[in-house]
Amino acid sequence: MARNNNGNKMSREQAGQKGGNQTAQNHDQEFYEEIGQKGGKATSNNHDKEFYQDIGEKGGEATSQNHDSDFYEEIGQKGGNARNNNNS
């Protein structure tokens, strides 16, 4: 088990946080963009259209359970405004 600076045992969560913070200090945004793209390509090579449809459906269901009609009205207005601004 990992230990903190005081020599005490750390939980898995604390050790993960410490490692994540250290990684963030050692790498810039470009590093994260690159590994994100690699991960996205690997995922797309390993999954089919049904996989993406399934996770999209699950995400939509979760979003609808967590938000009310005001949320959808607001994002609809933002999308409409963005579209209008791009067509100007």
Side-chain angles (χ1 to χ4, degrees), residues 18-86:
K18 185 176 180 180
N21 289 339
Q22 186 64 47
T23 301
Q25 289 176 1
N26 293 335
H27 299 287
D28 60 6
Q29 182 177 346
E30 188 176 305
F31 167 80
Y32 291 103
E33 289 173 0
E34 185 179 325
I35 63 171
Q37 288 173 354
K38 288 179 181 178
K41 288 178 184 176
T43 300
S44 68
N45 289 338
N46 293 325
H47 297 287
D48 60 6
K49 181 179 176 181
E50 288 181 12
F51 169 80
Y52 290 102
Q53 288 174 332
D54 186 44
I55 62 171
E57 186 175 321
K58 288 177 183 177
E61 289 173 4
T63 301
S64 69
Q65 291 173 2
N66 294 323
H67 298 286
D68 60 10
S69 61
D70 290 339
F71 169 80
Y72 291 102
E73 183 176 330
E74 182 180 334
I75 63 171
Q77 287 175 347
K78 287 180 181 179
N81 290 338
R83 183 170 174 82
N84 286 338
N85 290 339
N86 288 335

